[in-house]
Amino acid sequence: MGRSLQNTMINVGIESACDEAMYQLGLDIEELEEMEEDAGLGNGGLGRLAACFLDSMATLGMAAYGYGIRYEYGIFAQRIENGEQKEEPDDWLRFGCPWEKARPEYLLPVSFYGRVEEPEAGVKKWVDTQVVLAMPYDNPIPGYGNNVVNTLRLWSAKSPINFNLKFFNDGDYIQAVLDRNLAENISRVLYPNDNFFEGKELRLKQEYFLCSASLQDIIRRFKASKFGSRATTRTDFQLFSQKVAIQLNDTHPSLAIPELMRLLMDTEGLSWEKAWEITTETCAYTNHTVLPEALERWETSMLENILPRHLDIIYKINFLHLQEVQKRYPDDVHRMRRMSLVEEDGVKRVNMAFLAIVGSHAVNGVAALHSEIIKSDVFKDFYEMMPDKFQNKTNGITPRRWLLLCNPSLSDVIAEKIGEEWIVHLDQLTQLKQYDSDPSFLRSVQTVKQENKMKLAAYLQKEYGLTINPASMFDIHVKRIHEYKRQLLNCLHMITLYNRIKRNPSGKFVPRTIMVGGKAAPGYHTAKQIIKLICSVAAVVNNDPVVGDRLKIVYLENYRVTLAEKVIPAADLSEQISTAGTEASGTGNMKFMLNGALTIGTLDGANVEMMEEMGEENIFIFGMKVDEVEALKKSNYNAMDYYNRNPELKQCLDQIRSGFFSPNKPEEFHHLVDILLKWDRFLTLADYDEYIKCQDRVNSVYADQNLWTKKAVHNIASSGKFSSDRTISEYAREIWGVEPSWEKLPGPQAPRENNGA
């Protein structure tokens, strides 16, 4: 989520008034803003996307709730010590959170363990369960300039009051009190894995805790709503799917499907058929990744222990689903095995993505390319059987935080030319194209970029004691550290540049400052080694007097929303270099584009649509396309061919292997070189040659600042499609059956209409 103070002031329209008031009190509003902690309640892009979506839903006047867990410790704080990542707990609540309001009146019970009884035929009861209480905390989500405030409701686990009496009888009162902590551990800490599934019991409990509390809350609000009814609470669920839409943000909340079934049948007394109809009409599923290691597959033994009633329901869903498959494809046993929600080979597991598809009325990917991949590959069988379910909803970002808030100077330059309507209608930025040859406009854009770069340079000087050349190209690669995102390819480019300068010290080079930032999952050894390698290369390059300020490498410690707000407006070049077919969409790419950075990237994720919007002359595209990646994998990719063929590449890898960048421990990075040469699923070396040539093209364009700025203007002017307002409007119209509204509600101080008398 990042910080809320400045965003709230902007959306409510009081930023300049507050700024002025504090100035008159002799206080600095920026100092106050720096005191606020980031709310790091998610991993990487998925959590941040949800935050952008909440902002857009409020700005489009939708009656929407966001649900999540109020983690006591969010995504860890990263420290870089001797080039290595160290994790520190993110104790973001230590001074409390001024935005939240506890709502104990809506406290809800969530059950675990126990067993399933069948007191009469066809009636099942979940009994002898252990109960944990879910306490809601509400956080306001203000829309931009429309007086709408929505709610982000976060659940915190609380232990029930009743103690284990056995302890009291044994006189062990202290132990009984201490054991209350076990229940509260559910909301203690966020799992820091991004694009990786770890089948841990606590994680399963967290997912179910979120689903159960949220669904009970949704049903309570539905039953208490009037919709023209005179009853105090409604018991008829006929209108439920017309009044409620539930969007599953990846598979993590897919337990919502069996849980909604359980609540409708066991608590509300509906038949299986009616409950299933309501569930499928209400739920929709968004897939966010194609990496096989990221897809959730829970062991049935764990589900049977913790959620026995849900496993029961899942088995029945699967039985009925496979009957449908058999009807459509008689005698196709292989297809039935492939499409079963329960995987039988090896350890028995439930495929949560398959469950989400079967239990939803709509399934979408998050970029045009990604949506095609899930139809043709990941969920091919399901697409063939139920093609009408599948859609695309290309991701977006909120222009309020990612331009108006983080880059006020550029916002002013844009507003001078086209007014301020673009803040809620981002497609109006296309009007800027007419100024792409206007010298004064280009100069203004250049000036803003230079000021942002100087601000970032001053920040880096203060934080890292590193002097960088603000006239150099700021080449920025910020995202979670993962092999598929190919920070290693960037690292090979750094070493190549370094070697070229050393070979020709008096040559003419376009000065560059390369910044890499992002967190590695604590258990992901390779990702942590990648960080260490980049830091080791930086130590050699930055201390080499021959290189001077022609090349500097910076590792941005503890990358988070607040740091992104400083870095993105200062970027010249944005690195989006994942192997084609691996990044579902990406949203960082859109943030850089909106702030006038040029992109170097592969035809992956939303890069494809960015190129379509701006024209291929305004983006630096290189590397294999998806079909070429697949073809190379099938023909048995041999990295040694590329290593032997390209002397510059060979030199880079030999330097890493020989300990040139790690003289105190020469074997330090052998493992990374082995991965690149022997086991690289992401074909890094196959794209090296084209990447380096493309970077040379970047240099020659950057040398012509007017041409570069013209391309930057085209990037900004083509960003309209990538507003989360557009994304949310599409979800609303095509999945939820809701119409967005740009109507402004009367403010709290506006006179109320008197409906009485």
Side-chain angles (χ1 to χ4, degrees):
M1 293 291 294
R3 292 172 174 166
S4 294
L5 177 60
Q6 194 184 356
N7 185 245
T8 303
M9 291 190 300
I10 286 173
N11 281 11
V12 176
I14 58 171
E15 190 186 24
S16 49
C18 291
D19 195 354
E20 178 62 29
M22 288 193 68
Y23 176 73
Q24 291 194 6
L25 290 169
L27 300 168
D28 179 359
I29 198 163
E30 284 187 19
E31 249 177 71
L32 178 67
E33 286 163 359
E34 284 300 317
M35 289 175 183
E36 186 179 358
E37 296 278 353
D38 271 47
L41 295 175
N43 277 292
L46 185 61
R48 183 53 238 171
L49 179 78
C52 286
F53 280 1
L54 290 177
D55 179 88
S56 285
M57 287 191 289
T59 298
L60 295 173
M62 290 179 194
Y65 273 68
Y67 282 106
I69 293 177
R70 181 180 177 267
Y71 294 108
E72 209 172 301
Y73 296 92
I75 184 72
F76 62 88
Q78 178 196 54
R79 254 187 330 107
I80 303 292
E81 206 174 88
N82 302 323
E84 292 184 19
Q85 170 177 294
K86 299 276 185 258
E87 298 89 25
E88 291 179 344
D90 166 40
D91 193 4
W92 73 291
L93 288 172
R94 68 183 171 280
F95 301 124
C97 171
W99 299 105
E100 68 183 14
K101 169 83 176 76
R103 305 298 299 271
E105 66 271 33
Y106 297 128
L107 194 73
L108 289 166
V110 177
S111 297
F112 295 96
Y113 303 107
R115 58 196 172 80
V116 179
E117 265 185 3
E118 196 165 351
E120 52 187 277
V123 177
K124 297 203 172 178
K125 287 274 176 278
W126 188 16
V127 296
D128 298 340
T129 58
Q130 291 180 22
V131 172
V132 175
L133 300 177
M135 164 81 94
Y137 288 80
D138 286 357
N139 297 261
I141 307 289
Y144 179 78
N146 63 354
N147 294 315
V148 170
V149 181
N150 283 347
T151 300
L152 168 62
R153 181 160 283 178
L154 300 175
W155 300 103
S156 183
K158 297 272 176 264
S159 179
I161 304 296
N162 50 343
F163 285 114
N164 187 332
L165 286 175
K166 182 177 81 70
F167 279 126
F168 281 105
N169 299 339
D170 296 348
D172 200 345
Y173 166 74
I174 298 295
Q175 191 56 47
V177 176
L178 295 183
D179 277 358
R180 288 166 56 84
N181 265 347
L182 299 175
E184 297 179 0
N185 280 340
I186 289 175
S187 56
R188 193 81 67 205
V189 61
L190 168 75
Y191 272 87
N193 296 321
D194 187 68
N195 272 300
F196 181 76
F197 170 61
E198 194 177 3
K200 292 281 200 298
E201 201 168 289
L202 176 60
R203 174 67 179 183
L204 179 64
K205 285 181 176 175
Q206 288 180 341
E207 292 185 356
Y208 177 63
F209 176 74
L210 168 63
C211 292
S212 181
S214 303
L215 285 168
Q216 288 180 68
D217 197 49
I218 288 167
I219 289 172
R220 176 193 58 74
R221 278 188 292 116
F222 170 78
K223 287 168 79 172
S225 301
K226 291 285 179 274
F227 311 135
S229 155
R230 286 162 182 264
T232 332
T233 59
R234 50 174 57 268
T235 48
D236 178 8
F237 279 78
Q238 204 59 44
L239 291 173
F240 190 81
S241 61
Q242 290 174 41
K243 299 294 181 184
V244 177
I246 296 168
Q247 193 69 36
L248 307 177
N249 196 24
D250 216 347
T251 55
H252 315 132
S254 51
L255 283 166
I257 288 161
E259 173 64 1
L260 184 52
M261 289 294 290
R262 183 189 74 81
L263 289 167
L264 292 175
M265 292 188 301
D266 299 4
T267 310
E268 303 298 338
L270 272 64
S271 68
W272 174 280
E273 292 71 23
K274 190 66 203 154
W276 183 243
E277 185 188 328
I278 289 170
T279 298
T280 52
E281 285 176 0
T282 304
C283 295
Y285 160 55
T286 302
N287 172 271
H288 287 276
T289 182
V290 296
L291 295 186
E293 66 267 34
L295 294 174
E296 292 193 300
R297 295 149 66 247
W298 289 106
E299 293 184 13
T300 53
S301 56
M302 193 186 289
L303 287 167
E304 193 164 17
N305 180 34
I306 298 172
L307 301 170
R309 179 70 179 114
H310 298 77
L311 184 62
D312 219 29
I313 291 168
I314 290 167
Y315 280 153
K316 184 163 180 183
I317 292 171
N318 193 40
F319 172 72
L320 296 170
H321 159 63
L322 289 178
Q323 281 191 330
E324 288 299 311
V325 176
Q326 193 169 21
K327 250 188 247 169
R328 284 286 303 275
Y329 306 99
D331 307 326
D332 192 342
V333 184
H334 293 303
R335 184 182 286 266
M336 281 184 70
R337 187 178 48 76
R338 291 197 308 268
M339 291 184 76
S340 173
L341 312 187
V342 181
E343 299 173 356
E344 304 274 359
D345 40 331
V347 180
K348 208 168 163 185
R349 299 168 188 273
V350 177
N351 185 315
M352 302 309 277
F354 290 3
L355 174 63
I357 293 169
V358 171
S360 296
H361 69 278
V363 176
N364 70 281
V366 289
L369 175 68
H370 170 232
S371 295
E372 286 309 308
I373 290 171
I374 65 175
K375 291 193 297 194
S376 63
D377 183 8
V378 192
F379 304 136
K380 182 173 187 280
D381 292 321
F382 289 89
Y383 174 64
E384 286 172 0
M385 183 170 161
M386 34 188 116
D388 294 348
K389 272 193 187 184
F390 286 77
Q391 305 187 13
N392 173 56
K393 298 283 169 279
T394 299
N395 280 343
I397 56 170
T398 169
R400 271 74 62 184
R401 186 178 290 270
W402 296 113
L403 182 49
L404 193 59
L405 181 155
C406 72
N407 203 342
S409 312
L410 182 58
S411 303
D412 290 344
V413 167
I414 293 168
E416 270 174 38
K417 288 291 182 197
I418 65 167
E420 293 190 345
E421 257 191 38
W422 60 267
I423 299 167
V424 284
H425 298 284
L426 199 64
D427 48 352
Q428 295 200 2
L429 290 181
T430 50
Q431 295 172 41
L432 293 174
K433 287 183 182 174
Q434 62 189 301
Y435 302 109
D436 72 347
S437 301
D438 175 338
S440 78
F441 180 66
L442 293 180
R443 212 165 29 249
S444 302
V445 172
Q446 273 172 352
T447 306
V448 165
K449 182 63 77 179
Q450 202 49 46
E451 283 169 1
N452 290 334
K453 287 171 74 172
M454 285 161 82
K455 253 189 234 167
L456 181 60
Y459 173 82
L460 295 176
Q461 174 74 57
K462 182 169 132 275
E463 292 295 311
Y464 303 99
L466 192 63
T467 307
I468 57 175
N469 172 9
S472 64
M473 181 201 305
F474 282 16
D475 169 351
I476 301 188
H477 197 180
V478 283
K479 47 188 78 248
R480 287 297 290 255
I481 309 299
H482 201 297
E483 288 159 270
Y484 89 86
K485 293 180 185 284
R486 298 204 294 192
Q487 283 91 355
L488 277 174
L489 183 57
N490 192 350
C491 191
L492 291 172
H493 176 241
M494 297 171 194
I495 299 170
T496 305
L497 283 182
Y498 172 70
N499 290 336
R500 286 179 177 181
I501 295 171
K502 292 291 279 183
R503 263 200 309 276
N504 182 11
S506 56
K508 201 171 180 319
F509 294 92
V510 173
R512 248 187 218 241
T513 302
I514 303 176
M515 303 181 205
V516 181
K519 294 173 182 177
Y524 189 177
H525 175 71
T526 302
K528 291 177 124 173
Q529 283 293 100
I530 291 170
I531 293 176
K532 188 157 194 195
L533 175 61
I534 292 168
C535 292
S536 303
V537 172
V540 170
V541 170
N542 296 348
N543 293 303
D544 192 323
V546 172
V547 175
D549 64 2
R550 291 181 287 185
L551 179 61
K552 281 276 183 281
I553 297 164
V554 182
Y555 198 90
L556 298 165
E557 184 179 71
N558 201 27
Y559 183 66
R560 59 202 185 282
V561 172
T562 298
L563 185 52
E565 290 165 4
K566 295 178 170 71
V567 169
I568 291 169
D572 290 308
L573 186 68
S574 154
E575 301 266 354
Q576 308 297 335
I577 58 177
S578 52
T579 312
T582 60
E583 187 73 89
S585 166
T587 47
N589 45 4
M590 303 167 187
K591 291 162 193 168
F592 283 104
M593 177 185 182
L594 181 59
N595 282 275
L598 271 52
T599 299
I600 182 168
T602 49
L603 281 175
D604 196 23
N607 296 354
V608 179
E609 289 157 85
M610 285 164 51
M611 181 183 79
E612 286 167 3
E613 293 296 303
M614 72 175 85
E616 56 189 274
E617 67 282 1
N618 295 310
I619 186 169
F620 298 99
I621 294 290
F622 73 94
M624 296 175 287
K625 300 184 179 71
V626 175
D627 52 348
E628 293 167 325
V629 167
E630 289 312 309
L632 184 57
K633 280 180 180 169
K634 283 198 180 101
S635 67
N636 288 330
Y637 165 68
N638 181 4
M640 289 305 293
D641 294 346
Y642 300 91
Y643 170 80
N644 291 321
R645 203 183 299 154
N646 190 318
E648 279 196 305
L649 173 58
K650 185 175 189 302
Q651 183 187 5
C652 293
L653 290 167
D654 290 349
Q655 284 169 308
I656 297 170
R657 195 202 290 278
S658 68
F660 182 87
F661 299 106
S662 53
N664 298 330
K665 196 178 173 190
E667 73 286 0
E668 176 87 75
F669 302 117
H670 281 190
H671 175 61
L672 287 183
V673 176
D674 282 344
I675 286 176
L676 288 174
L677 291 176
K678 298 176 191 170
W679 314 294
D680 183 12
R681 293 158 56 202
F682 304 107
L683 316 178
T684 309
L685 304 192
D687 274 341
Y688 169 84
D689 196 34
E690 267 207 51
Y691 179 55
I692 299 299
K693 285 177 182 155
C694 194
Q695 288 282 18
D696 294 342
R697 286 209 316 278
V698 169
N699 283 336
S700 59
V701 175
Y702 191 77
D704 180 347
Q705 273 299 293
N706 270 349
L707 176 61
W708 184 275
T709 310
K710 192 172 178 170
K711 290 180 186 295
V713 167
H714 275 273
N715 270 260
I716 299 165
S718 307
S719 300
K721 175 179 178 176
F722 305 107
S723 167
S724 47
D725 297 347
R726 188 266 319 149
T727 312
I728 287 298
S729 298
E730 289 180 7
Y731 275 101
R733 291 178 175 134
E734 295 163 30
I735 296 180
W736 307 330
V738 179
E739 196 52 37
S741 160
W742 285 269
E743 184 192 345
K744 181 175 180 175
L745 298 185
Q749 66 290 338
R752 303 225 164 176
E753 284 181 24
N754 186 2
N755 293 328

